[in-house]
Amino acid sequence: MIYRLAHNIGNENHSNYNTRQEILNCSDPIGFDGIYRNVYENRDVLVGKSGIMFVMGDYVGGDNQFDLPHVPKLEKYCTWGEIYELTSNYDFSLGWHTWSHPDLTTLSRDEIMRELKAPFQTEFFAYPYGRYNDLVIECVKDSGYKFAFSVTQGTSNKYDSDYNFKIYRDYI
């Protein structure tokens, strides 16, 4: 199975944005990392789609100020109520994307474990910036996740060792 990655639904000419038509044309499961408010505002294009909404705990209801060097403009994230509405009314599961979106490969084991502790039950994790190493994978396993997704690393070959913790997603 092929998994896709999306962030925003809008018309900015940037890899963090997909148009409504691109979302509508996508037949693969979609992971939305961060769950921007514009995903909620365009939720009608999610009808008939499936995937995972990956939450960043510290930014729920906030904005992407922390990421402005990598994105074209300030955007709001969904609130908890909007996130639960998306995962309750559409075929999307709830996943975790850490509390503060750090590069986990630069942290100690204790710091990684704190970032991995979601405030809800989930089997799904998405690596911030798509980065992982052996220690990060070990911590993800120890935290009880069953599946972990990347975008810069990983594999599409389900026979690779630790495939469930190295699932590659491509952008839509």
Side-chain angles (χ1 to χ4, degrees):
M1 178 176 291
I2 296 173
Y3 294 89
R4 300 293 179 187
L5 172 63
H7 289 99
N8 289 282
I9 300 174
N11 293 317
E12 296 289 328
N13 186 18
H14 187 274
S15 63
N16 256 20
Y17 288 81
N18 291 99
T19 65
R20 290 172 53 86
Q21 194 59 51
E22 288 172 324
I23 300 295
L24 287 167
N25 291 344
C26 183
S27 59
D28 300 316
I30 304 169
F32 284 96
D33 289 5
I35 318 170
Y36 285 89
R37 173 73 52 77
N38 54 47
V39 173
Y40 180 80
E41 292 166 349
N42 289 280
R43 62 192 175 276
D44 62 299
V45 300
L46 302 179
V47 172
K49 306 293 177 198
S50 65
I52 305 166
M53 301 280 175
F54 291 101
V55 177
M56 294 185 306
D58 288 348
Y59 302 106
V60 172
D63 62 42
N64 65 341
Q65 178 79 34
F66 78 96
D67 210 20
L68 282 179
H70 304 104
V71 296
K73 66 180 187 177
L74 189 68
E75 296 275 4
K76 291 285 205 180
Y77 290 109
C78 287
T79 65
W80 283 112
E82 291 164 340
I83 292 166
Y84 286 124
E85 184 178 333
L86 288 170
T87 56
S88 297
N89 295 332
Y90 301 90
D91 192 15
F92 282 81
S93 299
L94 195 56
W96 190 241
H97 196 40
T98 71
W99 285 98
S100 66
H101 202 266
D103 178 347
L104 296 175
T105 66
T106 67
L107 304 181
S108 71
R109 179 179 179 76
D110 287 344
E111 291 169 321
I112 294 168
M113 293 303 286
R114 276 193 297 275
E115 287 287 340
L116 294 176
K117 186 162 180 49
F120 52 84
Q121 288 292 114
T122 183
E123 298 182 330
F124 308 107
F125 181 73
Y127 299 106
Y129 306 105
R131 297 185 191 126
Y132 61 83
N133 57 23
D134 291 341
L135 174 61
V136 172
I137 290 174
E138 178 183 315
C139 291
V140 168
K141 289 178 181 179
D142 290 349
S143 295
Y145 294 99
K146 303 292 184 218
F147 305 94
F149 298 84
S150 182
V151 69
T152 58
Q153 295 176 256
T155 182
S156 299
N157 181 351
K158 66 181 180 178
Y159 299 107
D160 281 1
S161 68
D162 281 335
Y163 166 76
N164 284 352
F165 300 95
K166 299 177 180 177
I167 301 169
Y168 176 75
R169 299 176 294 170
D170 199 357
Y171 289 96
I172 293 176

